[in-house]
Amino acid sequence: MLLRKMLRDMRSNISSFISIFIMAILASFVYSGINAEWYGMKTIADKFYDESRLPDIWLTASNFDDDDLEMVKALDGIADAELRLSFDSPVSIDSSDSQTDKILRINLINDSSNLSIPKAVDGKKLTPEENGLWLDKAFADANNLKTGDKISLQAAGKSFPMTITGLILHPEYVYKALDSSTFMPSHDSFGFAFLYSSPPELTKLGTTISFNQMLIATDEKANLDNVKKKLEDTFHDRYCIIIDRDSHPSVSTFNNEIEQNKAVGGVFPLVFFLISALSMFTTMTRMTNNQRTLIGTLKALGFSRRRILFHYVSYGIWLGLAGGLVGLLTGPLVIPPILFTMQKTIYILPEWSIAISPSSLLIVFLLLMSCATSSYLACRGQLREMPAQTLRPKAPKHIKHNCLEKSKLWLGLNFSIQWNIRDIMRNRIRSLMAVIGVAGCTALLIFGFGLRDVVNYVSFEMYEEINIYESKLNLVETPGTEAVESMSNSLNGQWIMEAAIELRNGDLRENGTLTVLDKGDKQEEIRFKAENNTTISLPDEGTAISTKMAKLLNLKTGDTVQWRLYGMKEWKSSRISAIYRIPIGQGLSMCRMEYEKQGERFAPTAFLTSERLDNVTKTEAVKSIQDKKELMDDFNSMLESLKMIILILVLGSLSLGSIVLYNLGALSFIEKTRELATLRVLGFFPKQIRTLLQLQNIWLTILGIIIGIPVGYVLVSFMLSTMPDSMDMAASITPLSLFLGIVITFLISFSVNLILSRAIKSINMVTALKSVE
């Protein structure tokens, strides 16, 4: 019987329950959809890492031999280790091409290799019995290559033709970039390849193998920091670079993408949870008040308080459960394919599939509990009274005049203002719900538009305000003195050295980037900005540290920071003379003179110039030439998935605002039917009544917007706080975004009010003005 009653109640309040149902769907839909995208990527990547036995540590140095390998294997905490030679080689696809912009990272492995194993996807599997070269599948597809084709590698001034034996994927190249100056992978110009260092390959290369990498797998219970310290002590007499998984360029970039999507997907449902719960509370409060006599009848018929309570709580249980499940089933089917389209241009995985995480199931449970709790709080008051009391209509509230109504100011207000103030004061919960709904809509719009502003401003700031050069010539590892002097004589610009470094302050340690600048010929090609956005100069003495790095190491101007280049043993100490803010690439910056004072040799890695070099022929000393537009395009491409998530947030905000305001408007109209009918009888025309209602709508909308704007700013700041340590993005919301957020919220509010106010003409004044029977 109670089940049939619940179905009848839902039919009679269908608009309110549908709105709650839709909000529950949206909360689960967005969360589970974005969650399925990043969790699916993470699951596939982790499986790929495990199957391929991705190392825990990469040790890079020169001239590793078998004695070094055995020495490392003997250390505590080491499960396995092996040697590898890795180097970049220009590659010619057409044998007639003598010059090529295409580069392959060649990896020569031993016959017994069982760490960091490539995954063959076409052609023959990677085994010592097979000769030839196993090529990056993305590079092959971009250059229309297939198994059996021949390419030519260039090494030691010679060209070596190689046959493509198979096409592969590799866990170290899920994200692949030639160097740190490149954001967006270019599959047609950079790839990787593997081959065995067995005698046939040695003959082709015409040289002996001198391994420069050691791949290390640690025991599950080993402390990674302790193992790294032991490796430093073992190879204290040579230049070594030690990189763990978290610092590996591919792994760290991929993990950063996961964390960004995870943060955005986690913020959005919070607003929907709150609005769904409050909408459920408002709807159930109104319904239980209207069914007061019916509740008394059920008590008199012998239904227990617990059974009646569960009956009304079940409204929230079924709505939350149904909405959560529908969102859980549809979100992962709709959102991930959209985001995967952009992710596939950046990351290379063996497969792209969704995965439902336990937290997605938890969201359904939280929706169920939030709606059920709201139902419980709404109906528990009616169940406290005795059946005899509940069978009687509830006595009207004794309403006292407030201070405003007793003041002389009240007499000066017109009827519309007086009527709306009284209505708001007598229906505080409903008015509060309207304000919260508008604030939630505005906050999510500001959140979405604000993230868009941050992304757009970072691109502008990086390549218009900070990096003002037009072209960047990236040099090979050893360009030669003559080539550097020739470039200096023929071009105006500035030499720059960029290197990875370790920094420490007491027990605090971080990884970062060292930027060393020579004097510019005509101008400084890189500008530095203080936290207050003013331009500052790089100090002649001491070093400058980025704001984010200073916070991570708890440093300030005047303090001393210790740093060392990757692979170096000796720590250098520099006094902090300035602090600058940069969105991407945290670390230290200093002038060449200060760097050389530390006893280091200035070895430029690139040349920056304000001249456009579209028609300049690349020399042997220049590895690649990048112009500003290319860099900006690459950077913006990296953020395409985030922009798509922002679009989803904006669409969700529009849905939230429309649904909540329509639901509250419908409830308000039903509750005001008697008052509106009275106004009609007193001679008010429908147009005057619509104006009356619109005035209250304007007040509540303005108040909601005032609250929603700072909440949206807080959400943007929270999102940016989840960014990796290498990024320092400031929350910046443009006036245009504020204007759009306000205007869209007003349009939604006015549109909903206009739709509902049309029902004024259909009010049956006789029925509405009947006394309670």
Side-chain angles (χ1 to χ4, degrees):
M1 183 178 80
L2 293 181
L3 178 60
R4 291 197 300 272
K5 174 185 173 299
M6 183 177 69
L7 295 176
R8 285 196 303 270
D9 289 342
M10 286 188 173
R11 281 198 298 269
S12 60
N13 297 276
I14 190 167
S15 61
S16 298
F17 285 116
I18 285 180
S19 67
I20 298 168
F21 177 66
I22 292 176
M23 281 187 284
I25 289 177
L26 285 173
S28 179
F29 176 85
V30 174
Y31 181 86
S32 62
I34 297 178
N35 188 277
E37 178 253 356
W38 69 258
Y39 191 70
M41 291 172 62
K42 183 178 184 300
T43 302
I44 295 300
D46 289 343
K47 180 182 176 183
F48 190 26
Y49 295 160
D50 291 340
E51 291 178 347
S52 303
R53 297 199 66 200
L54 186 69
D56 297 303
I57 296 175
W58 288 260
L59 182 62
T60 302
S62 58
N63 301 320
F64 279 132
D65 55 27
D66 291 337
D67 292 338
D68 295 327
L69 184 63
E70 294 303 320
M71 191 163 46
V72 168
K73 287 183 176 181
L75 296 175
D76 292 336
I78 303 296
D80 197 3
E82 63 183 45
L83 299 176
R84 185 173 75 182
L85 172 64
S86 181
F87 62 93
D88 291 345
S89 168
V91 58
S92 298
I93 296 175
D94 188 341
S95 58
S96 62
D97 291 340
S98 57
Q99 294 288 335
T100 178
D101 290 332
K102 303 182 188 300
I103 294 175
L104 282 180
R105 184 152 295 161
I106 306 300
N107 297 276
L108 274 76
I109 58 178
N110 284 320
D111 295 353
S112 58
S113 176
N114 60 359
L115 288 177
S116 203
I117 306 167
K119 179 182 179 68
V121 293
D122 190 20
K124 297 178 180 179
K125 290 185 178 181
L126 195 72
T127 58
E129 291 75 23
E130 300 291 343
N131 296 326
L133 175 141
W134 282 264
L135 183 63
D136 169 19
K137 186 178 186 303
F139 181 87
D141 292 342
N143 290 282
N144 297 318
L145 295 171
K146 59 184 184 299
T147 55
D149 290 348
K150 290 185 178 295
I151 60 174
S152 295
L153 305 180
Q154 298 177 19
K158 300 178 182 179
S159 180
F160 303 96
M162 302 291 293
T163 301
I164 300 174
T165 306
L167 304 181
I168 56 174
L169 306 178
H170 197 276
E172 293 180 37
Y173 299 97
V174 171
Y175 167 80
K176 58 174 186 176
L178 180 60
D179 50 42
S180 59
S181 65
T182 306
F183 290 112
M184 193 67 180
S186 178
H187 299 304
D188 65 329
S189 60
F190 175 69
F192 61 90
F194 277 73
L195 64 157
Y196 281 100
S197 57
S198 50
E201 277 66 36
L202 289 174
T203 302
K204 290 181 179 180
L205 289 173
T207 184
T208 57
I209 299 298
S210 177
F211 295 104
N212 60 4
Q213 280 189 351
M214 189 180 297
L215 312 183
I216 301 170
T218 61
D219 293 329
E220 291 185 3
K221 297 182 180 180
N223 184 291
L224 198 61
D225 290 333
N226 290 340
V227 173
K228 290 165 69 174
K229 182 67 171 62
K230 290 176 183 177
L231 291 172
E232 287 183 7
D233 295 339
T234 301
F235 297 101
H236 65 278
D237 57 341
R238 70 174 80 176
Y239 178 91
C240 292
I241 298 176
I242 302 175
I243 298 177
D244 57 27
R245 278 201 192 186
D246 291 337
S247 304
H248 191 278
S250 174
V251 177
S252 61
T253 302
F254 186 78
N255 288 342
N256 290 343
E257 182 76 31
I258 296 298
E259 290 301 317
Q260 290 171 19
N261 293 1
K262 185 178 180 180
V264 176
V267 169
F268 185 81
L270 296 177
V271 179
F272 278 86
F273 283 155
L274 177 62
I275 301 300
S276 298
L278 291 176
S279 296
M280 194 73 198
F281 179 78
T282 305
T283 301
M284 293 304 297
T285 299
R286 172 182 167 274
M287 191 173 74
T288 52
N289 285 336
N290 292 340
Q291 294 184 0
R292 174 184 172 83
T293 305
L294 181 57
I295 291 172
T297 303
L298 291 173
K299 285 183 177 181
L301 291 174
F303 285 87
S304 67
R305 178 181 180 276
R306 180 177 297 179
R307 188 173 178 187
I308 298 172
L309 181 63
F310 179 76
H311 164 68
Y312 283 105
V313 170
S314 65
Y315 287 66
I317 292 175
W318 289 116
L319 281 174
L321 179 62
L325 288 176
V326 171
L328 179 64
L329 294 174
T330 56
L333 297 177
V334 176
I335 295 179
I338 298 173
L339 300 179
F340 282 164
T341 301
M342 287 161 290
Q343 302 285 22
K344 289 177 182 178
T345 64
I346 304 173
Y347 305 105
I348 304 297
L349 291 172
E351 59 180 301
W352 292 84
S353 60
I354 62 173
I356 307 299
S357 70
S359 62
S360 294
L361 300 176
L362 180 62
I363 286 295
V364 178
F365 176 75
L366 292 177
L367 281 169
L368 182 154
M369 291 303 298
S370 63
C371 291
T373 302
S374 298
S375 299
Y376 169 76
L377 295 174
C379 67
R380 65 175 179 170
Q382 300 288 356
L383 298 175
R384 289 174 180 168
E385 300 177 0
M386 297 298 291
Q389 293 176 300
T390 314
L391 284 168
R392 297 191 189 100
K394 192 172 185 178
K397 288 182 180 179
H398 179 65
I399 300 174
K400 296 180 180 180
H401 291 294
N402 55 41
C403 295
L404 178 60
E405 291 176 292
K406 294 178 181 179
S407 67
K408 292 183 180 180
L409 178 63
W410 182 260
L411 299 177
L413 301 176
N414 62 37
F415 173 76
S416 297
I417 296 177
Q418 290 179 345
W419 189 87
N420 279 301
I421 290 176
R422 281 177 173 160
D423 185 65
I424 290 172
M425 296 303 295
R426 294 173 184 178
N427 297 277
R428 291 183 180 88
I429 294 179
R430 188 188 67 216
S431 301
L432 178 63
M433 271 292 300
V435 171
I436 292 176
V438 172
C441 176
T442 305
L444 287 180
L445 284 171
I446 297 299
F447 178 50
F449 289 136
L451 285 181
R452 183 200 61 175
D453 290 339
V454 169
V455 170
N456 291 338
Y457 181 66
V458 167
S459 177
F460 172 80
E461 185 179 29
M462 282 292 294
Y463 298 107
E464 295 293 342
E465 296 184 342
I466 295 177
N467 299 310
I468 61 173
Y469 56 82
E470 286 294 331
S471 300
K472 181 177 184 180
L473 289 77
N474 297 300
L475 305 181
V476 296
E477 190 170 348
T478 52
T481 305
E482 293 183 2
V484 170
E485 291 179 354
S486 174
M487 200 176 300
S488 296
N489 295 330
S490 59
L491 295 172
N492 291 317
Q494 186 174 20
W495 291 104
I496 182 175
M497 172 184 169
E498 295 172 303
I501 59 170
E502 296 176 85
L503 303 97
R504 74 179 182 186
N505 179 33
D507 295 331
L508 300 175
R509 288 199 180 197
E510 295 291 338
N511 297 321
T513 302
L514 173 66
T515 303
V516 183
L517 289 168
D518 199 0
K519 288 290 184 182
D521 294 328
K522 291 185 177 180
Q523 64 176 9
E524 300 297 317
E525 302 294 344
I526 295 180
R527 292 175 180 169
F528 293 88
K529 298 170 62 178
E531 287 188 84
N532 59 6
N533 218 34
T534 58
T535 302
I536 60 175
S537 299
L538 196 63
D540 293 330
E541 294 185 358
T543 185
I545 188 171
S546 63
T547 302
K548 185 81 171 276
M549 186 61 70
K551 290 178 180 178
L552 292 171
L553 294 175
N554 193 24
L555 292 167
K556 60 183 183 300
T557 304
D559 291 346
T560 299
V561 61
Q562 290 186 303
W563 58 274
R564 65 178 179 183
L565 295 170
Y566 265 2
M568 301 299 291
K569 304 302 174 186
E570 182 184 357
W571 287 90
K572 306 292 184 179
S573 296
S574 296
R575 181 178 177 276
I576 298 174
S577 302
I579 297 178
Y580 64 94
R581 198 188 70 79
I582 187 169
I584 299 175
Q586 309 305 310
L588 299 179
S589 294
M590 63 182 70
C591 65
R592 176 177 179 175
M593 183 172 61
E594 177 65 23
Y595 182 70
E596 291 177 340
K597 280 183 183 179
Q598 296 286 345
E600 299 290 342
R601 184 178 66 86
F602 179 72
T605 58
F607 185 76
L608 312 177
T609 176
S610 298
E611 302 174 19
R612 294 189 63 87
L613 304 177
D614 298 333
N615 300 319
V616 173
T617 302
K618 193 175 73 172
T619 64
E620 292 183 0
V622 178
K623 181 168 58 176
S624 62
I625 300 175
Q626 296 173 301
D627 61 33
K628 182 181 292 186
K629 184 178 183 306
E630 179 186 348
L631 291 168
M632 291 182 70
D633 290 344
D634 287 351
F635 181 81
N636 291 329
S637 298
M638 282 287 292
L639 298 172
E640 281 301 317
S641 61
L642 185 58
K643 292 179 180 178
M644 182 55 66
I645 293 176
I646 292 171
L647 177 60
I648 294 172
L649 290 178
V650 172
L651 295 177
S653 305
L654 297 177
S655 304
L656 171 68
S658 303
I659 293 168
V660 171
L661 293 178
Y662 182 84
N663 179 36
L664 294 174
L667 286 175
S668 176
F669 184 82
I670 293 171
E671 292 177 356
K672 293 177 184 175
T673 301
R674 187 179 180 85
E675 289 89 341
L676 297 178
T678 302
L679 293 175
R680 288 291 306 276
V681 170
L682 291 175
F684 282 79
F685 292 104
K687 184 177 180 181
Q688 291 175 304
I689 298 175
R690 280 197 293 268
T691 304
L692 192 70
L693 296 177
Q694 191 70 278
L695 180 63
Q696 183 179 140
N697 183 57
I698 292 173
W699 291 355
L700 298 178
T701 301
I702 291 175
L703 182 58
I705 289 173
I706 292 173
I707 296 173
I709 290 175
V711 172
Y713 186 87
V714 170
L715 292 177
V716 173
S717 299
F718 169 76
M719 170 63 193
L720 297 180
S721 69
T722 65
M723 292 292 181
D725 292 341
S726 62
M727 304 178 78
D728 183 15
M729 298 183 182
S732 59
I733 301 175
T734 64
L736 176 61
S737 293
L738 289 174
F739 177 76
L740 288 175
I742 293 171
V743 168
I744 291 174
T745 303
F746 263 116
L747 287 176
I748 293 173
S749 180
F750 289 158
S751 300
V752 169
N753 189 268
L754 182 63
I755 293 171
L756 292 172
S757 62
R758 291 178 180 176
I760 294 173
K761 292 182 180 179
S762 63
I763 294 176
N764 188 321
M765 288 179 282
V766 175
T767 304
L769 292 173
K770 277 185 180 180
S771 298
V772 178
E773 298 176 355

